[in-house]
Amino acid sequence: MGSTGLLERTKQTEIKIAKETLLEVRNLKKYFPVKAGILQRTVGHVKAVDDISFTVKRGETLGIVGESGCGKSTMGRSLIRLYEPTEGNVIFDGTDITNLSERKLRPLIRKKVQMIFQDPFASLNPRKTLGKTLNEPLTAHKLFGNKKEREERIKELLNVVGLHPSSMNHYPHEFSGGQRQRIGIARSLVLNPELIIADEAVSALDVSIQSQIINLLEELQSELDLTYIFISHDLSVVRHIADRVGVMYLGKLVELSEKNDLYAEPLHPYTQALLSAVPVIRKKGVVKRERIVLKGDIPSAANQPTGCVFHTRCPAKMKICETIIPEFKEAKPDHFVACHLYE
Ligand code: SF4
């Protein structure tokens, strides 16, 4: 592969079928043991991700929203086995990667799926120049034959994310917050990925920088045929970038739909409460919804309520909700919800 790899791949992907499934997640669970006592015996489990299923189509952006601690970041990490799933299957581009050895996982997931984190600075080595940092994955995956080609590739990447090629000689502390996130994006692109999981990627940035980074992500998506899973607690940001949106609560996916449908007509009482805080923009101007204030705190994921996990806070709770877990079902075409109100 030469230094024009990015552009080559753009041309190739123009003839791909636009909306085929790239990722399928089936009944994914990630439980963390809770240990106690001198012997550190397992006394329970934190159900960080609990029986989640969804698909991601090639070229789309799936937004995942939910309050802090709902399990969305754990879910993102479990998809690429940074956390080993407790149960369930993750099928990437037709291959079930759940039980693949690290050797087989490497050319597939470690190369084709990348993550962008909230704080790219934390994962950059302060003693290495940007050039050295970006060179590491190229060398590890033996993608380019010689130093000059690798250098060209790094300069091209920096250019693509809006940084000057001379940045490769600078150290992480010399960059601003927005520039560091551009570096995070450049690093995620080094290996020509197909899927990028952005975990609160713009949450730490000022609003004006946020929109620059989101615009950059959108440009890259259309140029490079990238697929995104965009994880965020910020419903306004997700609304801007996502095609479909999934809502998580206490380790469960409670609603999933095409973006406009979800924001215009949320079905799950939790989604309705979340969106009631977000102003709606209509032709006649900004319309405010009636604010739904939820009572109580999110229960502990180590001690989930029985039945519907939301029943302790749900304004529409029924008797059945206390004991029976609602199935995640299609309530309207392409609009899925886990709630007894729609059964
Ligand atoms: Fe509320 Fe019951 Fe629906 Fe859960 S299943 S969201 S408690 S109405």
Side-chain angles (χ1 to χ4, degrees):
M1 196 187 301
S3 62
T4 53
L6 284 176
L7 299 176
E8 277 168 15
R9 202 160 76 73
T10 309
K11 284 178 199 150
Q12 285 165 14
T13 50
E14 277 168 7
I15 53 167
K16 274 185 185 166
I17 301 162
K19 294 290 177 192
E20 65 192 273
T21 297
L22 179 64
L23 183 79
E24 185 177 349
V25 178
R26 289 188 200 153
N27 308 105
L28 184 70
K29 295 181 183 175
K30 178 61 194 174
Y31 295 176
F32 295 101
V34 179
K35 299 195 183 272
I38 300 168
L39 297 175
Q40 286 291 288
R41 289 215 170 94
T42 301
V43 292
H45 287 93
V46 171
K47 296 180 177 178
V49 177
D50 196 16
D51 205 4
I52 282 183
S53 300
F54 62 89
T55 57
V56 185
K57 298 180 195 108
R58 200 181 283 279
E60 80 165 339
T61 298
L62 175 70
I64 299 287
V65 295
E67 292 163 286
S68 169
C70 72
K72 50 193 191 307
S73 292
T74 304
M75 192 268 292
R77 286 166 167 80
S78 303
L79 294 181
I80 58 169
R81 290 187 41 199
L82 283 183
Y83 292 146
E84 287 298 338
T86 305
E87 253 182 72
N89 300 83
V90 179
I91 298 147
F92 177 77
D93 210 6
T95 304
D96 189 342
I97 61 143
T98 326
N99 298 309
L100 282 188
S101 65
E102 183 58 34
R103 188 175 60 81
K104 288 187 178 157
L105 203 61
R106 200 176 153 90
L108 194 65
I109 294 305
R110 302 281 175 256
K111 191 161 169 263
K112 293 186 180 176
V113 187
Q114 295 293 318
M115 281 196 85
I116 306 173
F117 298 98
Q118 178 173 355
D119 181 9
F121 191 61
S123 56
L124 294 172
N125 186 334
R127 285 186 290 274
K128 283 188 179 160
T129 61
L130 179 51
K132 279 197 174 149
T133 296
L134 294 178
N135 185 50
E136 275 170 2
L138 292 178
T139 314
H141 286 264
K142 300 187 177 80
L143 282 183
F144 290 84
N146 60 52
K147 197 177 161 198
K148 183 150 183 357
E149 277 183 2
R150 288 198 293 272
E151 229 175 81
E152 284 304 312
R153 167 69 167 167
I154 291 166
K155 282 181 184 165
E156 181 194 33
L157 277 169
L158 292 174
N159 187 36
V160 162
V161 300
L163 291 170
H164 195 273
S166 65
S167 308
M168 62 189 288
N169 302 316
H170 293 260
Y171 290 87
H173 72 270
E174 296 177 75
F175 297 96
S176 67
Q179 285 174 327
R180 283 177 197 162
Q181 199 48 286
R182 286 176 192 272
I183 294 170
I185 294 170
R187 198 162 62 164
S188 76
L189 294 175
V190 168
L191 300 175
N192 243 347
E194 294 182 27
L195 172 65
I196 292 182
I197 302 171
D199 185 6
E200 299 283 9
V202 298
S203 303
L205 304 172
D206 293 343
V207 174
S208 63
I209 310 287
Q210 270 189 358
S211 50
Q212 287 174 20
I213 297 296
I214 286 173
N215 289 344
L216 172 63
L217 287 170
E218 287 182 328
E219 278 167 32
L220 292 170
Q221 182 170 42
S222 67
E223 277 177 36
L224 306 175
D225 194 33
L226 292 167
T227 304
Y228 292 143
I229 296 179
F230 194 89
I231 297 168
S232 176
H233 68 279
D234 189 331
L235 286 123
S236 303
V237 170
V238 168
R239 180 180 202 164
H240 187 91
I241 195 168
D243 299 302
R244 287 188 304 140
V245 177
V247 181
M248 279 185 72
Y249 182 82
L250 213 58
K252 299 257 189 207
L253 190 61
V254 296
E255 187 160 4
L256 176 67
S257 166
E258 187 274 326
K259 167 180 68 179
N260 292 329
D261 196 19
L262 185 106
Y263 280 76
E265 200 184 334
L267 297 181
H268 197 281
Y270 177 62
T271 317
Q272 289 167 357
L274 277 186
L275 287 178
S276 72
V278 181
V280 191
I281 299 159
R282 300 224 192 280
K283 277 185 191 156
K284 53 188 174 185
V286 175
V287 181
K288 287 203 169 161
R289 301 177 208 248
E290 190 188 334
R291 186 80 195 262
I292 303 167
V293 181
L294 294 175
K295 294 195 185 98
D297 297 323
I298 301 181
S300 160
N303 190 19
Q304 281 189 351
T306 54
C308 170
V309 285
F310 188 54
H311 88 252
T312 53
R313 302 172 80 200
C314 180
K317 186 191 91 171
M318 302 171 286
K319 194 76 195 145
I320 185 178
C321 309
E322 294 173 12
T323 48
I324 310 287
I325 299 171
E327 269 184 60
F328 191 64
K329 279 187 177 167
E330 193 170 20
K332 294 187 343 187
D334 294 324
H335 195 146
F336 296 81
V337 65
C339 175
H340 290 306
L341 290 171
Y342 304 94
E343 285 172 357

PDB file of all heavy atoms in Angstrom, residues 268-270 308-312 314-318 320-321 324 326 338-341, ligand 1:
ATOM      1  N   HIS A 268     -39.903   5.348  24.630  1.00  0.00           N
ATOM      2  CA  HIS A 268     -39.593   4.882  25.981  1.00  0.00           C
ATOM      3  C   HIS A 268     -39.688   6.050  26.975  1.00  0.00           C
ATOM      4  O   HIS A 268     -39.165   7.141  26.698  1.00  0.00           O
ATOM      5  CB  HIS A 268     -38.179   4.289  26.003  1.00  0.00           C
ATOM      6  CG  HIS A 268     -37.917   3.446  27.205  1.00  0.00           C
ATOM      7  ND1 HIS A 268     -37.625   3.982  28.437  1.00  0.00           N
ATOM      8  CD2 HIS A 268     -37.933   2.096  27.373  1.00  0.00           C
ATOM      9  CE1 HIS A 268     -37.454   2.998  29.313  1.00  0.00           C
ATOM     10  NE2 HIS A 268     -37.633   1.838  28.675  1.00  0.00           N
ATOM     11  N   PRO A 269     -40.328   5.831  28.114  1.00  0.00           N
ATOM     12  CA  PRO A 269     -40.435   6.924  29.088  1.00  0.00           C
ATOM     13  C   PRO A 269     -39.085   7.525  29.488  1.00  0.00           C
ATOM     14  O   PRO A 269     -39.008   8.725  29.769  1.00  0.00           O
ATOM     15  CB  PRO A 269     -41.118   6.253  30.290  1.00  0.00           C
ATOM     16  CG  PRO A 269     -41.920   5.150  29.683  1.00  0.00           C
ATOM     17  CD  PRO A 269     -41.103   4.648  28.524  1.00  0.00           C
ATOM     18  N   TYR A 270     -38.027   6.728  29.484  1.00  0.00           N
ATOM     19  CA  TYR A 270     -36.705   7.279  29.826  1.00  0.00           C
ATOM     20  C   TYR A 270     -36.213   8.215  28.719  1.00  0.00           C
ATOM     21  O   TYR A 270     -35.729   9.313  28.996  1.00  0.00           O
ATOM     22  CB  TYR A 270     -35.702   6.145  30.042  1.00  0.00           C
ATOM     23  CG  TYR A 270     -34.302   6.651  30.317  1.00  0.00           C
ATOM     24  CD1 TYR A 270     -34.028   7.436  31.426  1.00  0.00           C
ATOM     25  CD2 TYR A 270     -33.252   6.360  29.444  1.00  0.00           C
ATOM     26  CE1 TYR A 270     -32.752   7.920  31.671  1.00  0.00           C
ATOM     27  CE2 TYR A 270     -31.963   6.830  29.686  1.00  0.00           C
ATOM     28  CZ  TYR A 270     -31.727   7.612  30.803  1.00  0.00           C
ATOM     29  OH  TYR A 270     -30.466   8.088  31.035  1.00  0.00           O
ATOM     30  N   CYS A 308     -38.522  -4.427  34.719  1.00  0.00           N
ATOM     31  CA  CYS A 308     -37.928  -3.356  33.914  1.00  0.00           C
ATOM     32  C   CYS A 308     -36.957  -2.564  34.789  1.00  0.00           C
ATOM     33  O   CYS A 308     -37.345  -2.080  35.863  1.00  0.00           O
ATOM     34  CB  CYS A 308     -39.027  -2.445  33.386  1.00  0.00           C
ATOM     35  SG  CYS A 308     -38.368  -0.950  32.637  1.00  0.00           S
ATOM     36  N   VAL A 309     -35.723  -2.402  34.319  1.00  0.00           N
ATOM     37  CA  VAL A 309     -34.709  -1.721  35.146  1.00  0.00           C
ATOM     38  C   VAL A 309     -35.062  -0.253  35.421  1.00  0.00           C
ATOM     39  O   VAL A 309     -34.526   0.358  36.340  1.00  0.00           O
ATOM     40  CB  VAL A 309     -33.288  -1.773  34.514  1.00  0.00           C
ATOM     41  CG1 VAL A 309     -32.689  -3.145  34.662  1.00  0.00           C
ATOM     42  CG2 VAL A 309     -33.299  -1.294  33.081  1.00  0.00           C
ATOM     43  N   PHE A 310     -35.998   0.277  34.651  1.00  0.00           N
ATOM     44  CA  PHE A 310     -36.355   1.686  34.809  1.00  0.00           C
ATOM     45  C   PHE A 310     -37.562   1.870  35.746  1.00  0.00           C
ATOM     46  O   PHE A 310     -37.974   2.988  36.015  1.00  0.00           O
ATOM     47  CB  PHE A 310     -36.650   2.279  33.417  1.00  0.00           C
ATOM     48  CG  PHE A 310     -36.854   3.766  33.395  1.00  0.00           C
ATOM     49  CD1 PHE A 310     -35.905   4.632  33.920  1.00  0.00           C
ATOM     50  CD2 PHE A 310     -38.006   4.323  32.840  1.00  0.00           C
ATOM     51  CE1 PHE A 310     -36.095   6.003  33.908  1.00  0.00           C
ATOM     52  CE2 PHE A 310     -38.211   5.697  32.813  1.00  0.00           C
ATOM     53  CZ  PHE A 310     -37.251   6.535  33.354  1.00  0.00           C
ATOM     54  N   HIS A 311     -38.125   0.758  36.261  1.00  0.00           N
ATOM     55  CA  HIS A 311     -39.426   0.897  36.942  1.00  0.00           C
ATOM     56  C   HIS A 311     -39.353   1.725  38.224  1.00  0.00           C
ATOM     57  O   HIS A 311     -40.338   2.327  38.637  1.00  0.00           O
ATOM     58  CB  HIS A 311     -40.075  -0.478  37.177  1.00  0.00           C
ATOM     59  CG  HIS A 311     -39.692  -1.170  38.444  1.00  0.00           C
ATOM     60  ND1 HIS A 311     -38.874  -2.277  38.498  1.00  0.00           N
ATOM     61  CD2 HIS A 311     -40.025  -0.918  39.743  1.00  0.00           C
ATOM     62  CE1 HIS A 311     -38.738  -2.671  39.746  1.00  0.00           C
ATOM     63  NE2 HIS A 311     -39.406  -1.861  40.523  1.00  0.00           N
ATOM     64  N   THR A 312     -38.154   1.804  38.838  1.00  0.00           N
ATOM     65  CA  THR A 312     -38.073   2.586  40.086  1.00  0.00           C
ATOM     66  C   THR A 312     -38.188   4.094  39.837  1.00  0.00           C
ATOM     67  O   THR A 312     -38.392   4.868  40.773  1.00  0.00           O
ATOM     68  CB  THR A 312     -36.734   2.306  40.800  1.00  0.00           C
ATOM     69  OG1 THR A 312     -35.669   2.531  39.867  1.00  0.00           O
ATOM     70  CG2 THR A 312     -36.660   0.884  41.315  1.00  0.00           C
ATOM     71  N   CYS A 314     -39.841   5.285  36.728  1.00  0.00           N
ATOM     72  CA  CYS A 314     -40.694   5.519  35.556  1.00  0.00           C
ATOM     73  C   CYS A 314     -42.038   6.142  35.926  1.00  0.00           C
ATOM     74  O   CYS A 314     -42.768   5.591  36.748  1.00  0.00           O
ATOM     75  CB  CYS A 314     -40.927   4.196  34.834  1.00  0.00           C
ATOM     76  SG  CYS A 314     -41.965   4.398  33.380  1.00  0.00           S
ATOM     77  N   PRO A 315     -42.389   7.276  35.288  1.00  0.00           N
ATOM     78  CA  PRO A 315     -43.686   7.902  35.589  1.00  0.00           C
ATOM     79  C   PRO A 315     -44.864   7.085  35.052  1.00  0.00           C
ATOM     80  O   PRO A 315     -45.999   7.329  35.452  1.00  0.00           O
ATOM     81  CB  PRO A 315     -43.603   9.265  34.878  1.00  0.00           C
ATOM     82  CG  PRO A 315     -42.330   9.307  34.123  1.00  0.00           C
ATOM     83  CD  PRO A 315     -41.562   8.045  34.343  1.00  0.00           C
ATOM     84  N   ALA A 316     -44.604   6.126  34.158  1.00  0.00           N
ATOM     85  CA  ALA A 316     -45.706   5.349  33.563  1.00  0.00           C
ATOM     86  C   ALA A 316     -45.730   3.909  34.076  1.00  0.00           C
ATOM     87  O   ALA A 316     -46.370   3.042  33.484  1.00  0.00           O
ATOM     88  CB  ALA A 316     -45.566   5.360  32.038  1.00  0.00           C
ATOM     89  N   LYS A 317     -45.052   3.656  35.171  1.00  0.00           N
ATOM     90  CA  LYS A 317     -44.900   2.274  35.679  1.00  0.00           C
ATOM     91  C   LYS A 317     -46.247   1.577  35.909  1.00  0.00           C
ATOM     92  O   LYS A 317     -47.183   2.171  36.415  1.00  0.00           O
ATOM     93  CB  LYS A 317     -44.115   2.315  36.994  1.00  0.00           C
ATOM     94  CG  LYS A 317     -43.784   0.951  37.532  1.00  0.00           C
ATOM     95  CD  LYS A 317     -43.257   1.032  38.944  1.00  0.00           C
ATOM     96  CE  LYS A 317     -44.401   0.901  39.922  1.00  0.00           C
ATOM     97  NZ  LYS A 317     -43.984   0.753  41.316  1.00  0.00           N
ATOM     98  N   MET A 318     -46.270   0.278  35.518  1.00  0.00           N
ATOM     99  CA  MET A 318     -47.453  -0.551  35.786  1.00  0.00           C
ATOM    100  C   MET A 318     -47.007  -1.710  36.687  1.00  0.00           C
ATOM    101  O   MET A 318     -45.819  -1.895  36.919  1.00  0.00           O
ATOM    102  CB  MET A 318     -48.011  -1.081  34.463  1.00  0.00           C
ATOM    103  CG  MET A 318     -48.391   0.017  33.479  1.00  0.00           C
ATOM    104  SD  MET A 318     -48.789  -0.617  31.843  1.00  0.00           S
ATOM    105  CE  MET A 318     -47.189  -1.039  31.197  1.00  0.00           C
ATOM    106  N   ILE A 320     -46.957  -4.903  36.143  1.00  0.00           N
ATOM    107  CA  ILE A 320     -46.152  -5.891  35.410  1.00  0.00           C
ATOM    108  C   ILE A 320     -44.666  -5.486  35.331  1.00  0.00           C
ATOM    109  O   ILE A 320     -43.769  -6.322  35.291  1.00  0.00           O
ATOM    110  CB  ILE A 320     -46.730  -6.092  33.978  1.00  0.00           C
ATOM    111  CG1 ILE A 320     -45.986  -7.206  33.251  1.00  0.00           C
ATOM    112  CG2 ILE A 320     -46.707  -4.821  33.163  1.00  0.00           C
ATOM    113  CD1 ILE A 320     -46.511  -7.500  31.851  1.00  0.00           C
ATOM    114  N   CYS A 321     -44.434  -4.173  35.350  1.00  0.00           N
ATOM    115  CA  CYS A 321     -43.066  -3.651  35.178  1.00  0.00           C
ATOM    116  C   CYS A 321     -42.137  -4.062  36.319  1.00  0.00           C
ATOM    117  O   CYS A 321     -40.922  -4.101  36.163  1.00  0.00           O
ATOM    118  CB  CYS A 321     -43.084  -2.129  35.064  1.00  0.00           C
ATOM    119  SG  CYS A 321     -44.240  -1.506  33.838  1.00  0.00           S
ATOM    120  N   ILE A 324     -41.608  -8.363  35.348  1.00  0.00           N
ATOM    121  CA  ILE A 324     -41.304  -8.933  34.016  1.00  0.00           C
ATOM    122  C   ILE A 324     -40.411  -7.983  33.221  1.00  0.00           C
ATOM    123  O   ILE A 324     -40.738  -6.807  33.053  1.00  0.00           O
ATOM    124  CB  ILE A 324     -42.609  -9.178  33.201  1.00  0.00           C
ATOM    125  CG1 ILE A 324     -43.636  -9.946  34.035  1.00  0.00           C
ATOM    126  CG2 ILE A 324     -42.292  -9.889  31.883  1.00  0.00           C
ATOM    127  CD1 ILE A 324     -43.353 -11.406  34.260  1.00  0.00           C
ATOM    128  N   PRO A 326     -39.207  -6.262  30.090  1.00  0.00           N
ATOM    129  CA  PRO A 326     -39.814  -6.059  28.765  1.00  0.00           C
ATOM    130  C   PRO A 326     -38.858  -6.469  27.651  1.00  0.00           C
ATOM    131  O   PRO A 326     -37.659  -6.239  27.751  1.00  0.00           O
ATOM    132  CB  PRO A 326     -40.088  -4.543  28.720  1.00  0.00           C
ATOM    133  CG  PRO A 326     -39.156  -3.957  29.721  1.00  0.00           C
ATOM    134  CD  PRO A 326     -38.874  -4.993  30.753  1.00  0.00           C
ATOM    135  N   ALA A 338     -37.886  -1.246  24.492  1.00  0.00           N
ATOM    136  CA  ALA A 338     -38.106  -2.253  25.530  1.00  0.00           C
ATOM    137  C   ALA A 338     -39.019  -1.653  26.584  1.00  0.00           C
ATOM    138  O   ALA A 338     -38.556  -0.979  27.506  1.00  0.00           O
ATOM    139  CB  ALA A 338     -36.777  -2.672  26.154  1.00  0.00           C
ATOM    140  N   CYS A 339     -40.314  -1.834  26.416  1.00  0.00           N
ATOM    141  CA  CYS A 339     -41.264  -1.230  27.355  1.00  0.00           C
ATOM    142  C   CYS A 339     -42.614  -1.931  27.238  1.00  0.00           C
ATOM    143  O   CYS A 339     -43.103  -2.141  26.121  1.00  0.00           O
ATOM    144  CB  CYS A 339     -41.418   0.266  27.048  1.00  0.00           C
ATOM    145  SG  CYS A 339     -42.666   1.066  28.049  1.00  0.00           S
ATOM    146  N   HIS A 340     -43.216  -2.273  28.368  1.00  0.00           N
ATOM    147  CA  HIS A 340     -44.505  -2.979  28.354  1.00  0.00           C
ATOM    148  C   HIS A 340     -45.627  -2.135  27.778  1.00  0.00           C
ATOM    149  O   HIS A 340     -46.674  -2.666  27.406  1.00  0.00           O
ATOM    150  CB  HIS A 340     -44.877  -3.401  29.790  1.00  0.00           C
ATOM    151  CG  HIS A 340     -43.992  -4.487  30.314  1.00  0.00           C
ATOM    152  ND1 HIS A 340     -43.797  -5.678  29.646  1.00  0.00           N
ATOM    153  CD2 HIS A 340     -43.222  -4.561  31.435  1.00  0.00           C
ATOM    154  CE1 HIS A 340     -42.967  -6.446  30.346  1.00  0.00           C
ATOM    155  NE2 HIS A 340     -42.589  -5.783  31.423  1.00  0.00           N
ATOM    156  N   LEU A 341     -45.445  -0.837  27.694  1.00  0.00           N
ATOM    157  CA  LEU A 341     -46.504   0.023  27.127  1.00  0.00           C
ATOM    158  C   LEU A 341     -46.776  -0.303  25.664  1.00  0.00           C
ATOM    159  O   LEU A 341     -47.844   0.015  25.140  1.00  0.00           O
ATOM    160  CB  LEU A 341     -46.091   1.504  27.213  1.00  0.00           C
ATOM    161  CG  LEU A 341     -46.036   2.144  28.591  1.00  0.00           C
ATOM    162  CD1 LEU A 341     -45.414   3.526  28.504  1.00  0.00           C
ATOM    163  CD2 LEU A 341     -47.426   2.225  29.206  1.00  0.00           C
TER     164      LEU A 341
HETATM  165 FE1  SF4 B   1     -41.923   2.267  32.472  1.00  0.00          FE
HETATM  166 FE2  SF4 B   1     -42.950  -0.153  32.607  1.00  0.00          FE
HETATM  167 FE3  SF4 B   1     -42.123   0.802  30.282  1.00  0.00          FE
HETATM  168 FE4  SF4 B   1     -40.373   0.139  32.161  1.00  0.00          FE
HETATM  169  S1  SF4 B   1     -41.742  -1.242  31.082  1.00  0.00           S
HETATM  170  S2  SF4 B   1     -40.344   1.966  30.917  1.00  0.00           S
HETATM  171  S3  SF4 B   1     -41.442   0.746  33.993  1.00  0.00           S
HETATM  172  S4  SF4 B   1     -43.811   1.564  31.521  1.00  0.00           S
END
